[in-house]
Amino acid sequence: MSLRTLPLLFINLGGEMLYILDQRLRAQNIPSDKAKKVMNDIISTMFNKKFMEELFKSQELYSKKALRTVFDRLAHASIMRLNQASMDKLYDLMTMAFKYQVLLCPRPKDILLVTFNHMDAVKEFIRDSPSILNQVDEIFRQLIETYSCLPAGEFQLIRQTLLVFFQDLHIRVSIFLKDKVQNSNGRFVLPISGPVPWGTEIPGLIKMFNYDGEEVKRATFPVSGSYTNVLTEGSFDLFGDRVIKLGTNMYSVSRPVETHMSGTLKNSAARTKENTAPNPLAKEELNLLAQLMGGLEIKKPVGTEPGFRLNLFGTDEEEDQAAAIKSPEHFDEVIDIQVSKDQQQHEELARIMEEFHVQEQPKHSCSKGDDLLAMMDDL
């Protein structure tokens, strides 16, 4: 397992979240000033300096529940609101899109180029906001400094860590199903043709050399795919052509996306049990999550600017149906993600809440995850 994986996971998932939100804001004809404010607020929060300092520390990946909680807060860092069903769908799309990109990377180091494609897109979203752009550029330079000099073996560890993180997620996405890159069971279909990784040759040729390193014989063998050479390597600089298209925007207003939970009823029930049962590592996960959120400043909208609700489904009726379906017999249609319940208070939370000068709220019974969400709402 690589301890350098978390920043890449977070930034790539965040990039996919921004693509999806931008698509839905346009599809629902949200006024441009409100849409711009939403994107600016989320990106500003996402690339907060203190938050990123926590993220870049050498550490193991946070749990899926912890990351989901962080992205819940990021998605609500502005005047936009999503209900539970839409947030579930948003997170499903984010995770499956990035899982597909990791699987398709021609070589492990290309995960960094995928990240840079997402960063380029983030910069485009806030091109008219110089202060936020400076925030993003600072993190971009930190990415280059941290990752561009890593050996190939470290990137292989990063890729394997990401694949282990995603290995149990098999959510069907309409775009992938339509393009026949995903099977009906939610598993991806990997191509056997296409460009070969940079620095490698097209398969089908065997070269034999003598002890002096001179080529003495050649032989060929048939290959089942059709391959092409990559003419140039993608740029790992602040500006440049990344060459690969993984990590660019695959969404458009005319191409809506849907998600469906696949798998047998038995597997679905097992996942539900896993999500709802108390986590034996809850204390450790809470420590990690509290440290991460300790650097995340959520700014409340100023003034009396009204908020709005964003729907990631085609209609309000579809969203209501997705929210209402919770019985086991419907697990093949939607995924139900919940924060594990635990009533104990934690000293780390109290310390962070004191640092942020959170105003005292009426006491009520809630989970640790709910405590964190409430804390961040009050900032």
Side-chain angles (χ1 to χ4, degrees):
M1 174 181 291
S2 173
L3 302 181
R4 299 176 183 267
T5 308
L6 184 58
L8 300 184
L9 174 63
F10 179 81
I11 289 172
N12 283 289
L13 288 178
E16 289 301 317
M17 179 179 73
L18 294 172
Y19 285 150
I20 298 164
L21 291 179
D22 178 64
Q23 184 260 334
R24 292 309 301 167
L25 289 167
R26 295 173 185 272
Q28 291 188 206
N29 296 317
I30 302 299
S32 59
D33 57 334
K34 286 190 175 182
K36 183 177 179 181
K37 175 175 175 53
V38 167
M39 301 300 280
N40 284 355
D41 287 348
I42 292 177
I43 293 172
S44 177
T45 303
M46 180 178 171
F47 290 94
N48 174 275
K49 182 177 180 180
K50 189 176 179 182
F51 177 60
M52 282 292 168
E53 286 175 354
E54 286 291 338
L55 206 66
F56 271 85
K57 291 179 180 177
S58 181
Q59 58 194 302
E60 294 184 3
L61 284 185
Y62 297 115
S63 69
K64 294 181 178 68
K65 295 184 181 72
L67 279 179
R68 167 61 191 269
T69 304
V70 173
F71 279 106
D72 277 351
R73 289 302 95 211
L74 282 177
H76 294 91
S78 187
I79 58 176
M80 178 191 70
R81 294 293 176 263
L82 298 98
N83 72 12
Q84 188 66 37
S86 284
M87 188 64 219
D88 286 347
K89 179 175 179 178
L90 173 62
Y91 194 73
D92 289 346
L93 290 172
M94 292 159 49
T95 52
M96 293 306 290
F98 184 45
K99 176 181 180 179
Y100 183 55
Q101 292 159 13
V102 174
L103 286 169
L104 284 189
C105 278
R107 57 174 180 166
K109 190 175 181 179
D110 286 339
I111 291 174
L112 189 56
L113 292 177
V114 175
T115 308
F116 286 1
N117 272 335
H118 281 122
M119 292 293 290
D120 290 341
V122 169
K123 292 174 63 175
E124 184 64 22
F125 284 132
I126 42 93
R127 62 182 182 276
D128 297 326
S129 303
S131 61
I132 306 176
L133 187 59
N134 288 336
Q135 273 184 263
V136 176
D137 277 339
E138 183 178 344
I139 303 304
F140 210 146
R141 293 186 182 95
Q142 190 171 354
L143 280 170
I144 294 172
E145 180 181 348
T146 303
Y147 291 96
S148 61
C149 60
L150 292 183
E154 182 67 24
F155 279 106
Q156 176 66 11
L157 281 177
I158 290 174
R159 183 175 185 271
Q160 290 300 321
T161 304
L162 289 170
L163 291 177
V164 169
F165 182 84
F166 288 125
Q167 67 180 349
D168 295 326
L169 296 177
H170 305 295
I171 302 159
R172 293 173 294 161
V173 179
S174 61
I175 285 180
F176 297 143
L177 293 170
K178 186 178 297 184
D179 291 344
K180 300 186 184 305
V181 298
Q182 191 179 32
N183 290 326
S184 58
N185 61 4
R187 298 182 183 274
F188 287 110
V189 179
L190 300 183
I192 59 172
S193 299
V196 297
W198 167 256
T200 62
E201 298 182 3
I202 293 177
L205 177 65
I206 301 174
K207 297 179 181 179
M208 283 158 276
F209 300 84
N210 60 21
Y211 288 107
D212 297 325
E214 299 173 341
E215 183 180 332
V216 295
K217 187 178 180 182
R218 289 191 174 196
T220 60
F221 62 92
V223 293
S224 56
S226 176
Y227 303 95
T228 58
N229 280 117
V230 177
L231 300 179
T232 57
E233 183 180 20
S235 171
F236 291 93
D237 297 326
L238 188 62
F239 301 97
D241 183 7
R242 313 301 175 193
V243 178
I244 69 173
K245 299 304 179 184
L246 298 173
T248 57
N249 196 348
M250 68 177 183
Y251 305 98
S252 68
V253 177
S254 60
R255 200 181 188 199
V257 287
E258 300 294 336
T259 59
H260 305 275
M261 182 59 198
S262 65
T264 64
L265 177 61
K266 180 178 179 180
N267 291 337
S268 299
R271 287 191 59 181
T272 304
K273 182 177 180 181
E274 176 187 353
N275 287 333
T276 58
N279 190 338
L281 300 177
K283 182 176 179 180
E284 287 74 13
E285 289 184 358
L286 183 61
N287 275 330
L288 296 173
L289 182 55
Q291 290 170 12
L292 185 60
M293 289 185 172
L296 182 54
E297 299 177 1
I298 303 294
K299 298 180 180 179
K300 281 191 173 182
V302 296
T304 58
E305 185 173 4
F308 65 92
R309 184 175 66 87
L310 189 69
N311 184 358
L312 266 74
F313 292 82
T315 64
D316 288 346
E317 289 74 16
E318 291 180 18
E319 187 179 47
D320 293 339
Q321 290 174 4
I325 298 175
K326 294 182 180 180
S327 57
E329 60 268 25
H330 291 103
F331 283 152
D332 61 327
E333 298 178 23
V334 296
I335 179 172
D336 183 26
I337 304 175
Q338 301 178 7
V339 179
S340 61
K341 303 294 181 183
D342 195 329
Q343 301 297 327
Q344 292 183 336
Q345 297 295 326
H346 196 274
E347 294 178 1
E348 185 72 10
L349 283 178
R351 182 187 66 77
I352 291 176
M353 292 177 72
E354 289 175 3
E355 288 181 0
F356 287 139
H357 306 290
V358 180
Q359 294 181 353
E360 186 176 356
Q361 298 293 326
K363 293 183 179 180
H364 58 279
S365 177
C366 59
S367 70
K368 289 183 177 180
D370 291 337
D371 284 340
L372 285 168
L373 297 184
M375 174 190 75
M376 298 177 71
D377 279 336
D378 290 335
L379 296 180

